[in-house]
Structures are given as C-alpha cells and as structure tokens.
Amino acid sequence: MKKMIKLFAAASLLSIFIASTAHAGAWKQNSHGWWWQDGDKSYPSSAWKWIDSDGDGMAECYYFDENGYLLTGTTAPDGSTVNESGAWTDQGIIRQKAANPAAARITNQKGMELYQEADQKSSGLPGLDITADIQMNLTYDWLDIPVSMNMRLKYHDLNTPNMEFLYLTTMDMLGISTSETSFYTRGCYYLDAGMYDKYKMNIGYEDMTRNITLGGLTGQFGAFLDNVQIADGDAGNKILMYSSKAEGLETYLTNFYDEIWPTLSDSNYKINRIDGKAVISPEGYFSKESISIYMTVTEEEESLGMLMNMNLDYNNPGKAVSIEFPSTEGYEEVIY
C-alpha cells in the first residue's frame, strides 16, 4: 500500500510539473511591441508558437515576425488571420489546443461525447435533408486532377411503409460532367443514370432499406476524434473542431466506401490526416460539417496523393422533410 501511495504521489507531481511547464515563459513588451520569452531566455521568431498564457490548460497560437515581435490584427505570412490580441483565428473563432495531456484527455472526451450525441440524435430523426459539396484533388507526379461532386439527399420514414428518398448527384472530372438521380416512392425505386439509362423496380420498403445506405454522410468520425476544441458559435450553436487518429481509420473507411463509393474501396490507401469541424445546433443536431481527408492511394505499385474536402449542410434538422419527385415517365421496368 505504501508503494502504491508513493507511485500515486509521484504521478501527481509529474502531472503538476507537466501542466506548469506547458506555459513556462512570459510575455515581454517594449516600445516596438510584444514578444514571448521562454524559460531559457530564448524567443520564437518567424514562427508560430502555441502558448497557454493563463495556465487554463488550453493554448492559443501566435505568430512572431523575423525580429520576434507578435503580429496582431493582420494576416500571417502563410495567409492565416490573427486577431487584435495576436491569436490565430479561423472564421472568427480563436483556435486552441490542449496544452498538456490531462487537458487533452478531458477535452477529447467532452468532444467525443458531444459529437456522438449529435450523431445519435441526427441519425435518429425520421428524415433528413443534406446538401454535400465534395472537392477532391488527385496528385500524380506533376499531374493534378481536380474532381468536383455535388449531392443532395432527402429522405423520411425509413423502413416504414411511408418511406421515401431522393438522391441527386453531379460529378465533374477532366471536363466531363455526369449526373445521376435515384428516388424511391410508393414502393418503387427509380434510377436515372443519364445517357438514356432509366430503370424502375418494384421493391418493398424492407428490402429497399437493406439495400441502401442513406446515413453514411452523417457523423463519420466520432470514435476517432483527437486534438479537440469546443467553441461557442452564433445563435447558441456549439462548434467542434478536431483532427482524427489515423489508427483504425483505414479499416473503418474501407467498410464505409464499400457502401458509398465501391471503386475507391478496391484501392489500397493510407490515411495521413483528417481535420474536421462540426456545427451542432442548440437542439443537439448536426447543422454543418466540414471534413478534410489527406490520403495516399496505391494501385498496381503506383501511388497518388489525394485531398478530399467535404462540406455538408443539414437543412432544417428536426423539421419535417418534404420531397418533390421528378417525373416517373420513361423508365424501363426491371425485376428485383
């Protein structure tokens, strides 16, 4: 027991030491401006530095010029914005990160709970109306290939006799545009893939539910959140900013893409980084999500870099979803 008490005391002292050294240093000022002096009397110059000035466990990021002075109320050399206090801001939000392991654990846990609660609540709605804008850039040697996708998904009353959905997709790549429309109403599934490919199929709502994945865009990364920041937004919204742990993500996304994007799921890819931001409404629903995925895709010993930026808007979450369907004329019937 005495040994356990000593170990506990040592661990406690170590935690205090880590927390205190996370903001070791002090702000200094002269007639030219402010600078940060570290505990060893050195100071940052031509660089960003995370500083927990008030010792609350959350650090802000500051940029110091070539002479070591703090930039304020301007734009840093990399294009980032700093406010009048010199803190890095993103769309008006002061960016923060945990300054020590204890603060990181607490903030990550709070962020995970907030995210998963919003996912549960949004996924449990009888209907959703989601607009998705997806911009990708594929890089191979000297070649850059931009790809643009826009999607609109509306559904209500899944897995009930009243089930309906509408799914619109457009894609632009190398100057070629394609579009696809699929919808389900009154027990019939319709697919318009363009180029005169129009099919319809009578299928019960239970079988239809088993053969679709409509909730795949919602709350993808709740189990992998890291480096979380929680901020207050406008109109009572909560804003959750995060990166995602890479471990386990490849397996998760392979299963995800098997259903959403089968072509990509056949490739061997490595997740390098994921950054995200979720806006959660006062009622606890997702309102917006922005997700950036950095990965390397390998096929037949050839590798290419891929950056995917997804912006999701959840239109009027919690409200009834009404759907206006295209004409059902001109579809060839096929048997399920």
Side-chain angles (χ1 to χ4, degrees):
M1 176 62 78
K2 287 183 178 179
K3 181 181 282 189
M4 291 297 294
I5 292 172
K6 286 181 180 179
L7 287 172
F8 179 77
S12 300
L13 287 171
L14 180 60
S15 298
I16 293 169
F17 175 74
I18 290 172
S20 62
T21 55
H23 62 277
W27 287 103
K28 302 288 184 179
Q29 185 185 30
N30 61 19
S31 58
H32 297 290
W34 289 90
W35 75 95
W36 177 261
Q37 183 174 287
D38 284 313
D40 61 0
K41 307 300 183 184
S42 65
Y43 57 89
S45 61
S46 298
W48 289 96
K49 187 175 180 66
W50 288 97
I51 299 172
D52 179 14
S53 304
D54 56 8
D56 66 351
M58 299 300 293
E60 292 73 37
C61 200
Y62 302 90
Y63 189 83
F64 299 89
D65 67 17
E66 65 275 10
N67 297 312
Y69 288 107
L70 176 69
L71 291 189
T72 60
T74 186
T75 302
D78 64 1
S80 301
T81 303
V82 294
N83 66 11
E84 295 301 323
S85 298
W88 168 35
T89 63
D90 179 10
Q91 297 180 355
I93 299 171
I94 297 175
R95 294 306 308 265
Q96 295 180 311
K97 78 169 187 177
N100 58 68
R105 284 193 298 273
I106 293 169
T107 306
N108 286 348
Q109 183 62 34
K110 286 181 179 177
M112 189 176 298
E113 290 171 0
L114 184 63
Y115 190 93
Q116 291 177 340
E117 285 170 6
D119 181 27
Q120 261 188 335
K121 211 167 178 190
S122 298
S123 299
L125 287 170
L128 275 176
D129 178 358
I130 304 174
T131 305
D133 175 65
I134 302 175
Q135 303 295 323
M136 292 179 288
N137 196 67
L138 310 177
T139 306
Y140 177 74
D141 286 339
W142 52 270
L143 184 64
D144 284 332
I145 305 172
V147 182
S148 176
M149 294 180 66
N150 295 99
M151 294 184 285
R152 181 71 179 270
L153 168 62
K154 302 176 78 171
Y155 66 83
H156 64 77
D157 297 308
L158 292 186
N159 202 25
T160 75
N162 297 320
M163 168 178 166
E164 290 183 321
F165 70 79
L166 172 66
Y167 195 25
L168 308 172
T169 307
T170 60
M171 179 173 174
D172 291 291
M173 180 176 178
L174 297 175
I176 300 172
S177 296
T178 59
S179 63
E180 183 174 298
T181 300
S182 61
F183 57 97
Y184 181 79
T185 183
R186 298 180 180 177
C188 192
Y189 172 68
Y190 298 84
L191 173 63
D192 181 356
M195 297 297 290
Y196 310 105
D197 292 329
K198 298 176 71 174
Y199 304 101
K200 67 178 181 180
M201 177 191 310
N202 288 309
I203 178 172
Y205 70 88
E206 292 173 323
D207 287 333
M208 190 74 251
T209 301
R210 281 194 291 268
N211 283 279
I212 60 172
T213 302
L214 294 178
L217 293 175
T218 306
Q220 294 181 45
F221 305 114
F224 302 95
L225 299 192
D226 196 15
N227 298 318
V228 170
Q229 178 186 347
I230 303 170
D232 293 324
D234 296 333
N237 291 323
K238 286 288 184 184
I239 300 176
L240 182 67
M241 290 163 281
Y242 62 88
S243 60
S244 286
K245 303 171 186 175
E247 184 179 353
L249 267 173
E250 282 89 356
T251 301
Y252 169 78
L253 285 180
T254 296
N255 296 332
F256 172 73
Y257 287 126
D258 276 342
E259 299 178 350
I260 299 296
W261 198 350
T263 303
L264 185 58
S265 70
D266 293 334
S267 303
N268 179 24
Y269 56 91
K270 173 178 172 49
I271 305 295
N272 301 315
R273 191 171 95 239
I274 292 180
D275 298 321
K277 179 168 79 171
V279 180
I280 299 170
S281 73
E283 296 77 23
Y285 303 117
F286 283 122
S287 174
K288 293 178 182 291
E289 279 195 278
S290 299
I291 304 165
S292 296
I293 305 175
Y294 304 79
M295 66 176 81
T296 303
V297 182
T298 303
E299 262 227 41
E300 298 178 356
E301 300 183 357
E302 298 282 347
S303 294
L304 59 87
M306 181 175 177
L307 168 60
M308 180 188 299
N309 291 314
M310 295 189 289
N311 291 293
L312 311 177
D313 284 307
Y314 300 84
N315 304 302
N316 301 312
K319 305 294 184 183
V321 176
S322 61
I323 304 174
E324 184 175 339
F325 292 103
S327 170
T328 57
E329 298 295 322
Y331 286 81
E332 178 185 348
E333 187 166 357
V334 295
I335 304 301
Y336 173 64

